[in-house]
Amino acid sequence: MVDVFTGLQPLEIGEDNPTALIRRATELNAIDAVDRVLVGYSSIWPHNHSTAPFLAALTDKLSLIVAHRPGVIHPTAAARYFATLDVLSAGRLAINLVTGGSDKDLHREGDYLPKSERYARASEYLDVMKAAWSEPEPFDHRGQYYTAERVRLLTQPLERHVPIFMGGESDAAVDFGASHADTYMLWGEPIAGTRERIDRVCATAEGYGRTVNFSLSLRLFIGDTDDEAWEVAREVEHTIRDAQGTHKFLRSSPTDKSVGRERQLALTEEELHDDCFWTGLVKLLGGFANSAALVGTEDRILETLAKYRDIGVSAFLITTGAEAAWDPSLENIARRIKKEL
């Protein structure tokens, strides 16, 4: 059986009260087919250190993947925060560690570490957090990026560990994920490219004596017929194109470079891959925002997802629409994914 994840923007643009958020969280909590919800991170979004506990308190089944950026707070403070949240949420917590692909976004929060060093810092960051979660006695840490003395948490995570999710395409990202991640998060790619990435991470993880799970992020555009599905996809494409110049749907600056983004853009030389893998939004959004999509009937999309499962994907993060978010229209296919895959 595979897991189903989705994404949730806790407070959408223009929302100045929690009414709609409470409704969205309540709806997701009632859907047994959704296993986890990703609560993303950006220096301009509402802070997920506030929204994640709010969501946990609103729900009793929904598990959260809370995106976290090393460098914003000290790892001992982060360890204490996440340990507390894990206990208060009854173990319904995972962390998506994001080193940051946008220099502008990092600079807003005073983080000027060069990109070449971010994964090295993230590795030390996790070493400190994991020690704080598991060590029964106080310990000191003196590393390249962090120093701390007599570190000890009176409240540790329920399993003395919080699952770590991460993603990235560079050599440094692969090494970091292979050595630290419980789940490696992949942006959507055609079958062959996804198999290549999985094999690469697995080979590296084997060198560390570890195994890693994989999730794949895709927008789904579904219709009763293929033509109806394409009408939905083209409507979203037009919505995003009409907003060009406003940065409404961008998740980073076009000047920011990353190996993953360049790999995504290379796919856009062809609009359609495999059976129903569509790159139209990838091109339109400049390779950002988990914009790869599957377009078709539920049966066609499930056949494609089964092929990803067969090469090692154990979870699918599914969204839809211009904002790449959860929509109630995804509930049926989420249930079928859980039942049929």
Side-chain angles (χ1 to χ4, degrees), residues 81-318:
Y81 169 78
F82 287 119
T84 306
L85 184 54
D86 184 68
V87 170
L88 293 178
S89 65
R92 292 181 289 134
L93 178 65
I95 301 170
N96 174 25
L97 210 72
V98 287
T99 62
S102 168
D103 288 343
K104 291 182 178 179
D105 203 51
L106 271 73
H107 294 172
R108 289 190 190 102
E109 297 189 312
D111 186 356
Y112 289 87
L113 191 74
K115 183 177 292 188
S116 60
E117 295 185 53
R118 289 175 195 162
Y119 279 109
R121 179 180 65 181
S123 183
E124 182 181 336
Y125 197 95
L126 264 182
D127 286 341
V128 175
M129 284 211 303
K130 288 179 176 180
W133 289 337
S134 60
E135 289 292 337
E137 300 297 330
F139 68 91
D140 297 341
H141 175 83
R142 291 179 177 82
Q144 182 178 356
Y145 300 98
Y146 299 104
T147 299
E149 298 178 358
R150 306 291 295 171
V151 179
R152 184 188 179 200
L153 298 185
L154 296 179
T155 297
Q156 294 176 313
L158 295 181
E159 300 296 329
R160 301 296 186 265
H161 175 72
V162 178
I164 301 299
F165 289 54
M166 62 78 61
E169 177 56 26
S170 67
D171 291 342
V174 169
D175 187 75
F176 175 78
S179 60
H180 282 291
D182 298 294
T183 297
Y184 205 109
M185 306 182 80
L186 304 173
W187 282 7
E189 288 194 21
I191 300 291
T194 304
R195 181 187 294 111
E196 172 196 326
R197 297 189 68 198
I198 289 173
D199 289 346
R200 180 184 173 200
V201 175
C202 286
T204 307
E206 186 176 349
Y208 288 102
R210 304 183 71 246
T211 58
V212 180
N213 295 320
F214 294 90
S215 72
L216 187 70
S217 299
L218 293 160
R219 297 194 204 198
L220 306 184
F221 296 105
I222 305 168
D224 291 335
T225 66
D226 289 335
D227 286 343
E228 286 184 11
W230 279 106
E231 287 178 9
V232 175
R234 294 302 184 190
E235 182 178 350
V236 169
E237 184 181 31
H238 293 154
T239 297
I240 295 175
R241 181 176 289 115
D242 289 346
Q244 293 290 290
T246 67
H247 304 292
K248 180 178 180 181
F249 298 108
L250 288 180
R251 294 295 182 267
S252 193
S253 167
T255 60
D256 292 320
K257 304 293 184 182
S258 72
V259 177
R261 179 187 173 223
E262 295 305 316
R263 185 177 175 109
Q264 286 278 295
L265 288 175
L267 299 173
T268 62
E269 294 179 7
E270 298 179 32
E271 186 180 37
L272 195 64
H273 297 255
D274 297 334
D275 182 47
C276 60
F277 182 93
W278 180 49
T279 68
L281 300 186
V282 176
K283 186 173 184 178
L284 199 56
L285 292 168
F288 294 119
N290 285 341
S291 43
L294 300 182
V295 183
T297 62
E298 283 191 2
D299 287 343
R300 181 182 291 276
I301 287 175
L302 282 165
E303 288 175 3
T304 298
L305 295 179
K307 294 176 183 177
Y308 286 114
R309 177 208 58 198
D310 291 344
I311 63 172
V313 174
S314 60
F316 295 102
L317 194 159
I318 60 172

Side-chain angles (χ1 to χ4, degrees), residues 4 33 297-300 302 330-341:
V4 175
T297 62
E298 283 191 2
D299 287 343
R300 181 182 291 276
L302 282 165
L330 295 173
E331 182 174 351
N332 193 62
I333 196 167
R335 293 187 185 281
R336 291 189 64 185
I337 290 171
K338 297 291 290 183
K339 181 179 179 180
E340 300 176 30
L341 301 185

